[in-house]
Amino acid sequence: MSRIAIVTDSTAYLSETMRKRHNITMVPLNVIFGEDTYKEEQDITAEEFYKKMKETEKLPTTSQPSIGLFEETFEVLGKECDEIVVVTLSSGISGTCQTAVAAGEALENVKVHVFDSEVSCLIQGFYALEASEMAAAGKSAAEIISRLESLRARTRAYFMADDLSHLHRGGRLNGAQLFIGSMLQIKPVLHFEDKKIVPFEKVRTEKKAVARIKSLLDEDASRGAPLNIAVIHGNCPEKADKLVKEIKEKYPAASVYKSHFGPVIGTHLGAGSIGIGWMDMS
Ligand code: MYR
């Protein structure tokens, strides 16, 4: 039986405890303030990041992990396993996925399978957790990838940024060029299409955006499918707590998790952002 290791990047925002419990190795992306580069989750916490972002005049930027970091990680894991499944954030918003593929191709003694989550944050984390459970149950890498692909067809994520200028500045907002001027004044519901972030629906207020996301969740949850649901916030835990409570009350059978947009994703969404994503685990 092939021994399989699971790797994900830091934007899954799986806590250290979760990663240890599920035997998941994390490769961090970077957040850059001026001359200083921080590996997120290792050198800077989400709390420290949002504080710094508030105090800094020049806004931060981000970068993917170096190919060397992936190679080192794979080499270390390759001493104990034969295959590695890597779950990355969407290849439409970061070069992380392509870099992991390139690093994997350079190795001879271990086979690396890279899965593009086509999303990010805890929804990406759900894929890594599923992969880790399957690896522990003795499934092959091919079986794991095939299951992740089938889950991807049943996964949705919608979110809103309190201030769209961060996404615009970082060049991660697609399909909005024509109405960006007017969009900066509103709170459109955003989602991923073809791996990229595009506006889903133009909505004027945060209240309406959240109500719309909840109605989209209702469409899927009311069909009774076993859902993993993530409520994700950018330094606004109270908003997330309220949503988690409402969703748990409405769908007691679902597994509902609260998570956050950490430094790298927070750089592009800004504080006050909120998202809900769900995966049909059937
Ligand atoms: C890099 O520099 O390579 C990282 C770029 C990250 C862009 C993040 C854009 C926002 C993603 C929002 C995800 C919301 C998921 C629910």
Side-chain angles (χ1 to χ4, degrees):
M1 191 176 81
S2 176
R3 295 158 306 164
I4 300 169
I6 309 299
V7 174
T8 193
D9 66 68
S10 54
T11 68
Y13 300 116
L14 290 172
S15 67
E16 200 179 346
T17 318
M18 286 283 260
R19 295 195 309 262
K20 275 198 179 136
R21 188 181 307 149
H22 295 274
N23 219 359
I24 296 173
T25 302
M26 182 271 278
V27 176
L29 279 82
N30 309 298
V31 62
I32 304 146
F33 283 94
E35 300 293 295
D36 303 321
T37 300
Y38 302 84
K39 287 191 166 72
E40 71 168 349
E41 303 279 292
Q42 286 180 1
D43 305 334
I44 189 165
T45 64
E47 211 182 333
E48 288 160 349
F49 164 79
Y50 283 107
K51 188 163 175 279
K52 206 166 168 57
M53 190 156 163
K54 225 180 191 172
E55 291 163 354
T56 314
E57 254 173 54
K58 196 168 179 309
L59 289 163
T61 56
T62 60
S63 69
Q64 57 173 294
S66 67
I67 186 160
L69 189 53
F70 271 117
E71 281 169 353
E72 260 170 53
T73 309
F74 296 163
E75 270 161 24
V76 172
L77 291 171
K79 291 187 181 131
E80 286 166 15
C81 67
D82 318 297
E83 298 190 80
I84 304 176
V85 172
V86 189
V87 178
T88 71
L89 78 163
S90 177
S91 61
I93 56 170
S94 171
T96 303
C97 184
Q98 289 86 342
T99 301
V101 171
E105 279 167 358
L107 296 179
E108 280 170 8
N109 59 331
V110 58
K111 174 103 188 74
V112 178
H113 309 259
V114 181
F115 177 77
D116 181 349
S117 74
E118 302 187 5
V119 68
S120 181
C121 303
L122 188 58
I123 327 298
Q124 171 189 338
F126 287 161
Y127 290 111
L129 291 169
E130 179 73 5
S132 126
E133 241 175 64
M134 290 183 72
K139 303 288 180 196
S140 69
E143 284 172 307
I144 296 175
I145 295 291
S146 150
R147 165 80 173 150
L148 299 190
E149 280 167 356
S150 96
L151 286 174
R152 194 167 53 194
R154 303 193 298 273
T155 294
R156 298 221 257 166
Y158 298 92
F159 51 102
M160 51 127 306
D162 186 49
D163 174 358
L164 266 189
S165 67
H166 298 285
L167 264 181
H168 185 45
R169 176 176 62 93
R172 263 50 178 218
L173 184 57
N174 283 260
Q177 286 76 5
L178 292 178
F179 50 103
I180 190 70
S182 59
M183 277 206 15
L184 290 173
Q185 320 305 324
I186 61 171
K187 312 272 178 201
V189 174
L190 305 169
H191 75 149
F192 281 84
E193 208 174 82
D194 293 333
K195 306 173 187 179
K196 293 195 161 71
I197 298 173
V198 295
F200 174 74
E201 220 166 83
K202 279 210 264 175
V203 179
R204 208 142 278 287
T205 63
E206 177 180 322
K207 206 170 157 196
K208 286 194 178 143
V210 171
R212 180 65 180 118
I213 298 174
K214 283 197 289 185
S215 79
L216 290 159
L217 169 63
D218 286 343
E219 283 171 20
D220 285 355
S222 57
R223 282 199 280 270
L227 295 186
N228 266 3
I229 304 174
V231 176
I232 311 167
H233 70 92
N235 208 28
C236 50
E238 324 73 36
K239 280 190 207 170
D241 286 334
K242 189 168 167 275
L243 279 169
V244 166
K245 187 167 176 287
E246 280 174 28
I247 295 171
K248 276 188 173 164
E249 277 168 12
K250 199 159 184 190
Y251 300 107
S255 302
V256 189
Y257 301 80
K258 176 181 157 194
S259 185
H260 62 277
F261 296 119
V264 166
I265 301 298
T267 296
H268 296 272
L269 290 188
S273 306
I274 198 100
I276 307 180
W278 54 96
M279 189 177 274
D280 173 349
M281 304 304 295
S282 48

